């Protein structure tokens, strides 16, 4: 399975944009890029996913590099409730689109 | 939106006993559910894929005789930790995908079940 690499932690000020990077240099053409986040003692929560084109939803934006070897999750205005561990995950049909979580990025949001 | 619910949220048991955790999809029928385990300060580890009406598919290193999975209906999967020991203490999380979103759609996760084995 293709792996992803994320920084262990990042910090942001409240109400500022946050750009969370993810490297996936061995991504295959059929891998979807998923982002989930997890608050302490809770199950993960879906954020966004995409294949080739950039994606926007009410929570965030996903910017995918043209060569698809990296992507960036963008939180447009961080709030204290956005403090969580963010996971960038690749999924394809070979695994039944199961999600294998890496270590993720722990985002700290300060007032 | 779609919801996946787990029960119990937490359980404490004695070593050697068995514990059953239920995972229900409340708003949709799920032919496939996924079970994860998460130790403190670690990431989620996929344990097995639960398939409705057939045997579960276990990840490498996960003992199928210890972690029994039953997916008897399209809305319920159960994980039974048999003869639990302290090292089985962990946060167990299930997830399911709403078929209407397609195979590549989002996974909905339960709230998690924290197991403590004394």
């Amino acid at each position: 399975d293709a792996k992803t690499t994320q920084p262990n932690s990042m910090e942001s000020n409240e109400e500022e944009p946050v750009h969370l990077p993810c490297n996936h240099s061995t991504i295959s053409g059929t891998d979807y890029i998923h982002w989930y986040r997890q608050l302490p003692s809770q199950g993960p929560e879906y954020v966004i996913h995409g294949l080739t084109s950039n994606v926007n939803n009410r929570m965030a934006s996903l910017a995918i590099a043209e060569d698809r070897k990296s992507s960036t999750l963008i939180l447009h205005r961080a709030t204290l409730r956005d403090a969580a561990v963010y996971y960038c995950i690749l999924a394809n049909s070979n695994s039944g689109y199961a999600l294998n979580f890496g270590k993720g990025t722990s985002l700290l949001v300060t007032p | 939106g779609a919801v996946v619910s787990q029960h119990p949220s937490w359980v404490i048991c004695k070593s050697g006993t068995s514990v059953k955790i239920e995972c229900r999809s409340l708003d949709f029928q799920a032919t496939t559910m996924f079970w994860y385990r998460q130790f403190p300060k670690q990431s989620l580890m996929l344990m097995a894929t639960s398939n409705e009406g057939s045997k579960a598919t276990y990840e490498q290193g996960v003992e199928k005789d210890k972690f029994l999975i039953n997916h008897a209906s399209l809305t319920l999967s159960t994980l039974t930790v048999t003869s639990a020991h302290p090292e089985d203490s962990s946060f167990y999380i299930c997830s399911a995908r709403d078929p209407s979103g397609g195979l590549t759609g989002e996974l909905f996760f339960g709230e998690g079940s924290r197991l403590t084995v004394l």
Side-chain angles (χ1 to χ4, degrees), chain B residues 97-111:
Chain B
R97 181 173 282 119
D98 186 342
S100 67
L103 285 175
T104 61
E106 68 176 284
L107 270 181
F108 295 93
F109 286 82
E111 313 93 324

Side-chain angles (χ1 to χ4, degrees), chain A residues 32 34 36 38 41-44 46 49 87 96-103, chain B residues 34 36 38 42-44 46 91 93 97 103-107 109-111 114:
Chain A
Y32 282 77
H34 290 251
Y36 284 75
Q38 184 181 27
S41 297
Q42 294 186 26
Y46 170 81
H49 79 286
Y87 297 97
Y97 296 99
L99 302 181
N100 286 288
F101 287 73
K103 295 183 178 180
Chain B
F34 304 98
Y36 292 83
Q38 185 175 32
Q42 294 188 23
S43 185
L44 285 79
L46 179 64
F91 193 48
I93 310 169
R97 181 173 282 119
L103 285 175
T104 61
E106 68 176 284
L107 270 181
F109 286 82
E111 313 93 324
R114 188 165 301 283

Side-chain angles (χ1 to χ4, degrees), chain B:
Chain B
V3 175
V4 172
S5 180
Q6 281 183 242
H7 178 82
S9 300
W10 58 270
V11 57
I12 301 172
C13 71
K14 293 182 178 180
S15 185
T17 60
S18 295
V19 174
K20 180 185 288 187
I21 300 170
E22 294 185 347
C23 177
R24 295 181 184 274
S25 56
L26 301 182
D27 295 339
F28 60 91
Q29 295 183 327
T31 55
T32 302
M33 292 184 175
F34 304 98
W35 284 96
Y36 292 83
R37 178 170 57 181
Q38 185 175 32
F39 292 110
K41 299 191 182 301
Q42 294 188 23
S43 185
L44 285 79
M45 185 196 81
L46 179 64
M47 298 175 67
T49 301
S50 171
N51 304 299
E52 188 268 335
S54 65
K55 293 182 179 179
T57 304
Y58 290 83
E59 295 298 303
Q60 192 173 7
V62 177
E63 299 175 59
K64 62 180 181 180
D65 294 331
K66 180 166 187 62
F67 299 100
L68 301 179
I69 292 173
N70 186 309
H71 195 152
S73 78
L74 288 171
T75 58
L76 174 64
S77 175
T78 60
L79 169 68
T80 301
V81 183
T82 63
S83 187
H85 288 92
E87 57 265 30
D88 298 323
S89 299
S90 187
F91 193 48
Y92 291 87
I93 310 169
C94 72
S95 67
R97 181 173 282 119
D98 186 342
S100 67
L103 285 175
T104 61
E106 68 176 284
L107 270 181
F108 295 93
F109 286 82
E111 313 93 324
S113 299
R114 188 165 301 283
L115 170 64
T116 301
V117 185
L118 302 177

Side-chain angles (χ1 to χ4, degrees), chain A residues 68-82:
Chain A
R68 301 211 321 131
K69 292 185 177 182
S70 66
S71 61
T72 302
L73 178 70
I74 303 166
L75 305 179
H76 296 286
R77 284 186 68 205
T79 69
L80 297 178
R81 289 179 295 178
D82 291 323

